[in-house]
């Protein structure tokens, strides 16, 4: 896992744990002032919640923990390119920096799809850093879906 | 309120209640088999949750109540055109029909902005019916922001 850092490593750990729980293996951590303030994997199946993507979960957990509607200064690390829902939530939460692993041409919304952060209806865009640990992040997903077949 | 129906009336009631609680006055109800299964207004401020839009709240409430990850056959009534986050959540939840009131050129994502339901990265699109009670839905919002100044 060269080329990554400890926060993305923690997001990868969350992704693997999600996969072991039979959830789509995507993980995220939210960092503020150098500390992890929320960490989660996808939980749509066991959580019975179509919106329970890893990014949504860490944003909601952090908002609740801090008693804030927004998270300025917070950085999000996630193993896969955020989808349209999550990209917009990242914008609403005023996340400062977004670091993600693998690209997602089929469902992503940052460099793929609607490229939300470049749109006029996006009123806050984070700084984006992509491709961190992308090989490992993609492998976790590929292995999961291969095992499903 | 001619031109609307009882479900949109209930969504307008939720919008007004949200405004009285000093939240942005948008309301939604989710209907399955002719019955309201969830109803909510925005709750981002008091809920300390950037994702707590009315549509997200009723989707999450209904998923939890029914013990399901998705809501096929459910119809969503909301007073304002859904934003990018909510449009994607509506898609993930497999909502059957979307009825909304006022258009939102600045933040909407159905007829405005990214027009998510027309995009290749959208894998389920509801049938969309817009402009229901749009005058009243817009007035509730306009009055709210005028009072803020």
């Amino acid at each position: 896992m060269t080329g990554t850092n400890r926060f993305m490593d923690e997001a990868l750990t969350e992704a693997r744990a999600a996969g072991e729980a039979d959830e789509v293996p995507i993980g995220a951590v939210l960092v503020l002032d150098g500390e992890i303030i929320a960490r989660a994997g996808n939980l749509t199946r066991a959580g019975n919640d179509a919106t329970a993507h890893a990014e949504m979960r860490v944003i909601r957990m952090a908002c609740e923990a801090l008693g804030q509607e927004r998270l300025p200064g917070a950085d999000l690390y996630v193993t896969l390119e955020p989808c349209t829902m999550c990209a917009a939530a990242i914008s609403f939460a005023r996340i400062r920096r977004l670091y993600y692993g693998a690209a997602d041409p089929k469902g992503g919304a940052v460099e793929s799809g609607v490229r939300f952060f470049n749109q006029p209806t996006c009123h806050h865009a984070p700084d984006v850093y992509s491709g961190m640990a992308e090989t490992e992040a993609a492998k976790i997903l590929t292995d999961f879906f291969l095992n499903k077949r």
Side-chain angles (χ1 to χ4, degrees), chain A:
Chain A
M1 285 186 287
T2 52
T4 182
N5 73 9
R6 71 182 178 99
F7 296 127
M8 187 59 82
D9 285 346
E10 297 292 340
L12 290 165
T13 298
E14 291 295 325
R16 285 186 206 100
E20 280 158 23
D22 209 28
E23 302 281 348
V24 176
I26 300 164
V29 303
L30 202 54
V31 174
L32 185 64
D33 298 332
E35 300 289 335
I36 292 176
I37 56 170
R39 55 188 304 152
N42 270 15
L43 194 67
T44 60
R45 296 187 61 167
N48 287 317
D49 183 355
T51 74
H53 288 191
E55 303 95 308
M56 301 295 281
R57 293 187 69 213
V58 294
I59 288 171
R60 299 185 74 232
M61 290 159 81
C63 283
E64 185 175 1
L66 299 176
Q68 297 175 190
E69 183 186 351
R70 293 175 181 138
L71 303 166
D75 300 333
L76 178 65
Y77 292 74
V78 56
T79 57
L80 187 70
E81 179 183 356
C83 76
T84 308
M85 172 180 73
C86 293
I90 287 165
S91 174
F92 289 140
R94 304 287 190 273
I95 299 290
R96 181 177 64 171
R97 294 181 190 136
L98 165 65
Y99 300 84
Y100 68 84
D104 182 10
K106 286 186 189 167
V110 180
E111 65 185 288
S112 314
V114 303
R115 294 175 176 76
F116 183 61
F117 301 134
N118 299 321
Q119 301 302 328
T121 49
C122 174
H123 305 299
H124 165 85
D127 295 329
V128 176
Y129 304 84
S130 62
M132 289 181 73
E134 63 183 349
T135 306
E136 178 66 12
K139 185 175 185 301
I140 291 169
L141 280 157
T142 307
D143 289 351
F144 178 80
F145 287 111
L146 281 175
N147 282 335
K148 282 279 177 200
R149 286 188 195 160

